[in-house]
C-alpha cells in the first residue's frame, strides 16, 4: 500500500524524475523543460499556483505523483481541481496508488466545496482510460482541448502591442 501526502521541496528531484518518466510513456521523451528549481519555485514559492501530492512506498520512495491546480466554474460559481499530471511508476501500477492519489484530490474537493475534479487523457492510452472508467470518471464527449503556444501564442500576445 502507498502513503499519499502533500509534496515537500525535498520531493522535487523525484517529482521531476516521474515527470520525465511520464514524458517517455507519452512518447515525448525530449519535451520536458522543467527543472528541480522550477518545481521548487512553482510548488513552494511565495504564492503557489500549482500543487502536488506524492505517493510513497513503505521505504519512503516516491512512486507516484499528482500535480494539480485550481479551476473555476462560472456556471457552478465554485472552484474545482484540474489534474495536470497523474503518474505512477510502471512497477506499481495496479497496486491502488493511482486510486489513492485521486481519492486524496477528491477528498480535497469535498472538504473545500469544490465541484469538479477534471483531467485530460490521451485517446490512445487505453490502460488509463479503463482505470478512469473503473472509478466512475465520465468522458467529456463533445469537448475538444485546444492549445495556443509557440509562435502562434507570441504572435497573438504581441499583436497590436506598442512597439
Amino acid at each position: 500500500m502507498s502513503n499519499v501526502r502533500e509534496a515537500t521541496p525535498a520531493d522535487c528531484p523525484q517529482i521531476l524524475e516521474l515527470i520525465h518518466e511520464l514524458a517517455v510513456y507519452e512518447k515525448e521523451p525530449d519535451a520536458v523543460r522543467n527543472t528541480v528549481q522550477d518545481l521548487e519555485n512553482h510548488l513552494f514559492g511565495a504564492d503557489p499556483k500549482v500543487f502536488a501530492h506524492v505517493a510513497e512506498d513503505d521505504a519512503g520512495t516516491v512512486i507516484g505523483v499528482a500535480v494539480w491546480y485550481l479551476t473555476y466554474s462560472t456556471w457552478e460559481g465554485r472552484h474545482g481541481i484540474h489534474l495536470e499530471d497523474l503518474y505512477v511508476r510502471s512497477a506499481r501500477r495496479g497496486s491502488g496508488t493511482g486510486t489513492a492519489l485521486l481519492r486524496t484530490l477528491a477528498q480535497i474537493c469535498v472538504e473545500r466545496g469544490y465541484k469538479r475534479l477534471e483531467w485530460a487523457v490521451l485517446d490512445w492510452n487505453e490502460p488509463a482510460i479503463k482505470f478512469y472508467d473503473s472509478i466512475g470518471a465520465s468522458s467529456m464527449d463533445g469537448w475538444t482541448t485546444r492549445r495556443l503556444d509557440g509562435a502562434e501564442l507570441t504572435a497573438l500576445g504581441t499583436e497590436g502591442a506598442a512597439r
Side-chain angles (χ1 to χ4, degrees), residues 2 36 43 89 105 111 119 128 144 153 162:
S2 55
V36 169
L43 292 170
R89 293 188 189 270
L105 298 186
E111 290 167 4
W119 61 92
T144 301
L153 175 64

Side-chain angles (χ1 to χ4, degrees), residues 123-146:
D123 57 9
W124 57 260
N125 193 347
E126 286 297 322
I129 292 168
K130 287 180 183 175
F131 165 60
Y132 299 143
D133 287 346
S134 77
I135 62 166
S138 57
S139 175
M140 296 288 298
D141 294 333
W143 291 84
T144 301
T145 302
R146 302 300 303 232

Side-chain angles (χ1 to χ4, degrees), residues 61-78:
T61 302
V62 173
I63 58 170
V65 65
V67 178
W68 58 277
Y69 56 88
L70 292 180
T71 61
Y72 182 76
S73 168
T74 57
W75 290 11
E76 293 281 348
R78 299 286 182 270

Side-chain angles (χ1 to χ4, degrees), residues 6-64:
E6 289 183 23
T8 68
D11 295 317
C12 288
Q14 291 182 87
I15 292 171
L16 185 60
E17 186 178 309
L18 292 171
I19 290 168
H20 279 280
E21 286 182 25
L22 174 61
V24 169
Y25 179 79
E26 291 187 350
K27 304 173 185 172
E28 295 282 345
D30 300 320
V32 177
R33 304 286 180 262
N34 210 344
T35 67
V36 169
Q37 187 64 54
D38 287 338
L39 287 170
E40 289 174 359
N41 292 342
H42 294 135
L43 292 170
F44 305 104
D47 186 23
K49 304 283 191 273
V50 63
F51 310 94
H53 281 74
V54 295
E56 55 186 14
D57 63 16
D58 293 334
T61 302
V62 173
I63 58 170

